């Protein structure tokens, strides 16, 4: 199994859209995929068409010891499963504040679950708090979606520092493995930011070990209104508009991931 967290502490850069549509594309190609929604906003859960009632179990119940992974797993499509989030996760960080080893809860629960899958994707919240730490201790790889704007680069160094700290203290096998360029519009600014990212990874000998093997995916996710519309219909882009540029881009990206991250 390949386990991947999709994270960026900046919001609105395409984390959930990428998590859902990469997972859906890989599942449609025959891989067995599970998505874990760790964002209290529950956007990945809604994007995959699951509306939880007030009493329904979610990843919140797993983190607080009230349920196992198998108890909350839902099948969202053929070859695609979801561990959903719920809005009641908002209070979970306070609830877990005094729990020893709280950063490792998800890792330990996943280790006990023997459900056979090829890929595990975790959709992280736009923060570097407890939920994101649980994701980073549970996976091997991190993908970072970046919007090609100046402020996307501004927080990237902080993100790398966080990953370095996690590898030293909690998860020695963690690696920043992929950079996704999302909402790409082909402007000169987008090209300049893309070049700055390429320059950052140009001299790998001088990079921190945690990101020395990262690849910048060749597929760029173009800005596309259909990608923004699909979540309101509770479906990945392929069911909503398979002919859109968004569907084309995420299919291409999924093929690239399958080739690089078997």
């Amino acid at each position: 199994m390949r386990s991947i967290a999709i994270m960026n502490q900046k919001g609105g850069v395409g984390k959930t859209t990428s998590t859902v549509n990469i997972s859906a594309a890989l599942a449609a190609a025959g891989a067995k995929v599970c998505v874990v929604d760790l964002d209290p906003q529950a956007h990945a859960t809604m994007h995959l068409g699951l509306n939880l009632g007030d009493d329904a179990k979610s990843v919140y119940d797993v983190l607080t010891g009230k349920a196992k992974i198998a108890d909350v797993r839902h099948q969202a499509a053929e070859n695609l499963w979801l561990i959903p989030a719920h809005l009641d996760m908002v209070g979970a960080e306070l609830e877990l504040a005094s729990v020893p080893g709280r950063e490792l809860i998800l890792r330990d629960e996943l280790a006990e679950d023997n459900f056979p899958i090829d890929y595990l994707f975790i959709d992280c919240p736009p923060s570097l708090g407890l939920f994101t730490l649980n994701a980073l201790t549970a996976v091997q790889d991190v993908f970072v979606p970046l919007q090609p704007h100046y402020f996307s680069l501004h927080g990237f160094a902080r993100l790398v520092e966080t990953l370095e700290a996690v590898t030293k203290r909690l998860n020695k096998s963690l690696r920043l493995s992929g950079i996704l360029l999302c909402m790409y519009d082909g402007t000169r600014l987008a090209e300049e930011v893309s070049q700055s990212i390429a320059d950052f990874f140009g001299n790998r000998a001088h990079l921190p070990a945690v990101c020395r093997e990262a690849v910048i995916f060749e597929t760029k996710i173009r800005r596309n209104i259909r990608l923004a519309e699909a979540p309101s219909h509770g479906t990945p882009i392929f069911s909503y508009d398979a002919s859109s540029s968004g569907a084309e881009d995420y299919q291409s990206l999924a093929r690239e991931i399958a080739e690089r991250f078997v």
Side-chain angles (χ1 to χ4, degrees):
M1 179 187 74
R2 202 79 192 222
S3 54
I4 301 162
I6 297 188
M7 68 166 288
N8 190 324
Q9 73 271 31
K10 187 177 185 300
V13 296
K15 290 188 299 296
T16 300
T17 298
S18 295
T19 302
V20 168
N21 289 307
I22 292 169
S23 298
L26 289 169
K32 295 185 183 301
V33 185
C34 183
V35 173
V36 179
D37 188 354
L38 269 189
D39 190 343
Q41 298 175 97
H43 286 171
T45 299
M46 291 184 281
H47 198 336
L48 284 169
L50 184 61
N51 294 308
L52 295 181
D54 291 339
D55 298 327
K57 292 187 182 299
S58 70
V59 70
Y60 164 80
D61 296 281
V62 174
L63 295 173
T64 55
K66 300 169 186 173
K68 294 296 183 182
I69 293 286
D71 300 329
V72 302
R73 185 187 294 112
H74 296 257
Q75 185 158 12
E78 185 176 2
N79 295 327
L80 180 60
W81 289 266
L82 170 68
I83 309 300
H86 195 283
L87 294 177
D88 59 11
M89 283 177 66
V90 171
E93 290 202 51
L94 287 175
E95 191 172 339
L96 295 169
S98 61
V99 176
R102 56 191 174 275
E103 302 92 348
L104 306 173
I105 296 172
L106 183 63
R107 182 200 69 179
D108 294 344
E109 292 296 330
L110 287 169
E112 290 182 13
D113 187 64
N114 59 3
F115 191 72
I117 55 172
D118 301 305
Y119 294 94
L120 176 79
F121 284 96
I122 302 181
D123 185 34
C124 297
S127 70
L128 297 176
L130 180 59
F131 298 135
T132 298
L133 282 176
N134 264 269
L136 296 180
T137 59
V139 301
Q140 304 158 311
D141 301 296
V142 173
F143 290 173
V144 177
L146 290 177
Q147 191 176 357
H149 289 174
Y150 168 75
F151 287 116
S152 295
L153 284 176
H154 186 69
F156 187 68
R158 171 74 193 283
L159 188 149
V160 171
E161 289 174 4
T162 299
L163 296 180
E164 284 187 282
V166 173
T167 57
K168 289 176 182 176
R169 297 180 176 90
L170 297 168
N171 183 1
K172 294 185 183 302
S173 64
L174 183 70
R175 292 292 180 268
L176 171 55
S177 302
I179 304 296
L180 323 174
L181 289 175
C182 298
M183 304 180 199
Y184 194 83
D185 54 14
T187 62
R188 189 169 80 173
L189 175 61
E191 292 175 1
E192 289 174 354
V193 173
S194 299
Q195 186 58 51
S196 296
I197 296 168
D199 292 344
F200 178 85
F201 288 99
N203 190 348
R204 302 210 170 226
H206 292 84
L207 291 175
V210 71
C211 61
R212 202 167 288 162
E213 299 174 8
V215 299
I216 302 171
F217 290 109
E218 294 179 10
T219 303
K220 298 178 177 65
I221 307 302
R222 291 167 285 179
R223 188 178 291 278
N224 177 233
I225 189 61
R226 307 302 269 175
L227 285 172
E229 294 170 350
S232 66
H233 293 264
T235 182
I237 187 62
F238 312 105
S239 301
Y240 181 63
D241 189 349
S243 64
S244 65
S245 62
E248 178 184 334
D249 292 344
Y250 274 112
Q251 279 186 325
S252 175
L253 179 58
R255 285 194 294 269
E256 195 174 345
I257 289 170
E259 290 169 2
R260 293 178 183 268
F261 299 90
V262 177

